[in-house]
Amino acid sequence: MKNINHNSILLFAVLSFCSCFNSYDEVEIGDQIWMSKNLNVDKFRNGDPIPHAKNIEEWLEYGENKGPAWCYFNNDKSNSSIHGKLYNYYAVVDPRGLAPEGWRIPSYYDWSGLAHYYGGWDKAKHRITGENSKFKAYYSGRRVNVLGTEGFLEKGGAPSAAYWWVSPPTPDSRAAHVLLSNSFFRYDADRSVKAYYGNSVRCIR
């Protein structure tokens, strides 16, 4: 009977687990490689936990202190399987790294490249939406800071929209997102884009 190297078996199991844990579905669009779903992590790249805001009071507190935070849409975990988590902009720019190893938060130029591949922002809107598209964009909504309400808006129904954070530096040197709605797909960086709002994140290699 052959001797069994238990250390080798243990190492193989650990490596297999890590490979599975760190694997993400991806899709090639033109010369870009995107995640095929919105980001759904609760730890930074270095392993530190990202604070989970379980209610509007906690969400407001993290925002006021300019601290990173995430939440489920409607504080309902079942929304994360399709829509991922919502993150504030402070999580996006945290030096510990929101994007998993090997990935990054897309820049304005990455999003522009995606739109250009599909023939421009207007045409791209119809090509990235839904289960049958490569990108699989859903109207995942967002979270805004509204006193007296949990602040969740625009997931399904009408109006519907998806918001993805854009990594800095942006052309406007402020917090920016890409907005997909029933009517348009565009880059936004005006004063209505607040760093303490909760948006989706879609990563690129």
Side-chain angles (χ1 to χ4, degrees):
M1 184 176 180
K2 294 182 178 179
N3 292 329
I4 299 175
N5 188 326
H6 293 286
N7 289 334
S8 296
I9 293 174
L10 178 60
L11 178 61
F12 176 79
V14 170
L15 290 174
S16 297
F17 170 78
C18 291
S19 175
C20 176
F21 182 78
N22 290 313
S23 63
Y24 297 89
D25 291 337
E26 59 186 46
V27 59
E28 186 174 345
I29 302 176
D31 60 358
Q32 297 176 327
I33 297 178
W34 292 83
M35 281 187 180
S36 62
K37 288 187 176 181
N38 291 339
L39 194 62
N40 194 21
V41 300
D42 59 6
K43 291 182 175 62
F44 288 110
R45 188 184 305 158
N46 72 347
D48 288 351
I50 306 168
H52 177 193
K54 300 179 180 67
N55 51 55
I56 190 61
E57 289 78 19
E58 291 181 0
W59 185 260
L60 290 170
E61 182 179 355
Y62 287 120
E64 288 168 358
N65 293 323
K66 298 185 178 181
W70 68 268
C71 66
Y72 299 115
F73 189 93
N74 269 348
N75 298 318
D76 184 350
K77 185 177 181 179
S78 67
N79 282 312
S80 66
S81 60
I82 292 177
H83 301 282
K85 294 179 173 65
L86 300 177
Y87 302 88
N88 65 18
Y89 192 66
Y90 304 115
V92 171
V93 298
D94 194 286
R96 290 170 288 183
L98 178 60
E101 190 69 37
W103 296 90
R104 58 185 173 81
I105 311 298
S107 68
Y108 164 78
Y109 302 101
D110 293 319
W111 284 105
S112 294
L114 175 70
H116 177 76
Y117 176 76
Y118 285 124
W121 293 89
D122 289 340
K123 292 182 180 179
K125 186 188 89 68
H126 303 288
R127 300 293 299 277
I128 68 171
T129 308
E131 183 65 32
N132 294 325
S133 74
K134 282 188 174 183
F135 194 80
K136 292 183 173 59
Y138 296 97
Y139 295 121
S140 299
R142 63 172 171 166
R143 189 174 202 169
V144 299
N145 293 18
V146 180
L147 293 175
T149 174
E150 288 291 337
F152 295 105
L153 302 171
E154 298 174 297
K155 175 182 169 290
S160 298
Y163 299 80
W164 294 282
W165 285 119
V166 175
S167 68
T170 62
D172 310 84
S173 300
R174 59 167 66 112
H177 63 224
V178 166
L179 165 59
L180 171 70
S181 76
N182 301 107
S183 304
F184 47 76
F185 179 44
R186 73 187 187 199
Y187 168 81
D188 269 342
D190 61 28
R191 297 189 183 280
S192 67
V193 182
K194 306 297 185 183
Y196 46 79
Y197 283 3
N199 288 347
S200 300
V201 170
R202 184 70 68 100
C203 295
I204 190 172
R205 283 198 183 281

